[in-house]
Amino acid sequence: MIGAILLMAAQAAPAFAPPLDRSLTMTTETVRSAGPTTRRFVARRTVRFSAAPDGYRVTITLDAATPGEADSDPAGLLRAGFAGLAGRTVVL
Protein backbone atom coordinates (compact mmCIF):
# COMPACT_ATOMS: atom_id res chain seq x y z
CA MET A 1 0.00 0.00 0.00
CA ILE A 2 2.75 2.47 0.96
CA GLY A 3 4.63 1.60 -2.22
CA ALA A 4 1.58 2.44 -4.34
CA ILE A 5 1.17 5.78 -2.57
CA LEU A 6 4.84 6.66 -3.11
CA LEU A 7 4.61 5.68 -6.77
CA MET A 8 1.54 7.89 -7.28
CA ALA A 9 3.22 10.80 -5.48
CA ALA A 10 6.34 10.47 -7.63
CA GLN A 11 4.27 10.50 -10.81
CA ALA A 12 2.34 13.57 -9.69
CA ALA A 13 5.45 15.58 -8.76
CA PRO A 14 6.02 18.43 -11.21
CA ALA A 15 9.29 18.43 -13.12
CA PHE A 16 11.32 21.61 -13.51
CA ALA A 17 11.69 22.09 -17.26
CA PRO A 18 12.34 25.73 -18.14
CA PRO A 19 12.37 26.83 -21.77
CA LEU A 20 15.97 26.66 -22.99
CA ASP A 21 17.86 29.34 -24.90
CA ARG A 22 14.93 31.76 -24.83
CA SER A 23 14.84 35.12 -23.06
CA LEU A 24 12.07 35.56 -20.52
CA THR A 25 11.11 38.84 -18.90
CA MET A 26 10.35 38.78 -15.18
CA THR A 27 8.74 41.79 -13.52
CA THR A 28 8.43 42.00 -9.75
CA GLU A 29 6.70 44.60 -7.64
CA THR A 30 7.60 45.10 -4.00
CA VAL A 31 5.22 46.96 -1.71
CA ARG A 32 6.49 48.29 1.61
CA SER A 33 4.23 49.87 4.18
CA ALA A 34 5.31 51.72 7.29
CA GLY A 35 2.51 53.49 9.14
CA PRO A 36 0.57 55.65 6.72
CA THR A 37 3.27 55.46 4.02
CA THR A 38 3.19 52.84 1.27
CA ARG A 39 6.00 52.62 -1.27
CA ARG A 40 6.10 50.53 -4.43
CA PHE A 41 9.17 49.43 -6.35
CA VAL A 42 9.21 47.65 -9.71
CA ALA A 43 12.14 45.64 -11.09
CA ARG A 44 12.41 44.07 -14.53
CA ARG A 45 14.89 41.29 -15.28
CA THR A 46 15.76 39.19 -18.31
CA VAL A 47 16.15 35.50 -17.45
CA ARG A 48 17.64 32.91 -19.81
CA PHE A 49 18.08 29.18 -19.10
CA SER A 50 20.55 26.93 -20.91
CA ALA A 51 21.54 23.30 -20.52
CA ALA A 52 24.56 22.49 -18.34
CA PRO A 53 26.24 19.12 -17.75
CA ASP A 54 24.72 18.84 -14.27
CA GLY A 55 21.36 20.51 -14.86
CA TYR A 56 20.70 24.08 -15.93
CA ARG A 57 22.53 27.38 -16.10
CA VAL A 58 20.55 30.58 -15.76
CA THR A 59 21.65 34.11 -16.58
CA ILE A 60 19.78 36.97 -14.96
CA THR A 61 20.18 40.58 -16.06
CA LEU A 62 18.65 43.50 -14.17
CA ASP A 63 17.11 45.64 -16.89
CA ALA A 64 15.39 48.28 -14.78
CA ALA A 65 14.46 49.08 -11.21
CA THR A 66 12.18 52.02 -10.63
CA PRO A 67 9.87 53.39 -7.97
CA GLY A 68 6.29 52.42 -8.74
CA GLU A 69 5.20 55.98 -8.05
CA ALA A 70 7.12 59.26 -7.97
CA ASP A 71 6.86 59.64 -4.19
CA SER A 72 8.01 56.04 -3.48
CA ASP A 73 11.69 57.03 -3.73
CA PRO A 74 11.85 60.59 -2.36
CA ALA A 75 15.59 60.56 -1.62
CA GLY A 76 16.56 58.68 -4.79
CA LEU A 77 18.00 55.79 -2.77
CA LEU A 78 16.48 53.10 -4.99
CA ARG A 79 17.85 54.68 -8.13
CA ALA A 80 21.27 55.13 -6.56
CA GLY A 81 21.36 51.59 -5.19
CA PHE A 82 20.41 49.92 -8.44
CA ALA A 83 22.44 52.18 -10.73
CA GLY A 84 25.52 50.00 -10.25
CA LEU A 85 23.56 46.80 -10.91
CA ALA A 86 21.66 47.88 -14.02
CA GLY A 87 22.73 45.89 -17.05
CA ARG A 88 24.86 43.48 -15.00
CA THR A 89 24.41 39.77 -15.55
CA VAL A 90 24.57 37.10 -12.85
CA VAL A 91 25.11 33.48 -13.88
CA LEU A 92 23.92 30.63 -11.63
Side-chain angles (χ1 to χ4, degrees):
M1 181 70 169
I2 293 176
I5 293 171
L6 291 176
L7 181 60
M8 288 184 344
Q11 290 175 347
F16 181 70
L20 299 179
D21 302 316
R22 193 173 106 207
S23 294
L24 305 169
T25 301
M26 181 177 73
T27 303
T28 57
E29 180 179 13
T30 303
V31 179
R32 296 184 182 158
S33 296
T37 304
T38 299
R39 295 194 167 124
R40 290 177 172 73
F41 305 97
V42 179
R44 191 180 72 242
R45 296 169 180 84
T46 299
V47 179
R48 187 177 182 94
F49 290 91
S50 59
D54 57 345
Y56 298 101
R57 170 176 281 166
V58 61
T59 59
I60 305 166
T61 305
L62 177 64
D63 299 319
T66 58
E69 296 142 359
D71 59 347
S72 286
D73 190 26
L77 296 177
L78 176 85
R79 286 187 301 275
F82 279 105
L85 298 174
R88 300 265 177 131
T89 299
V90 175
V91 180
L92 304 169

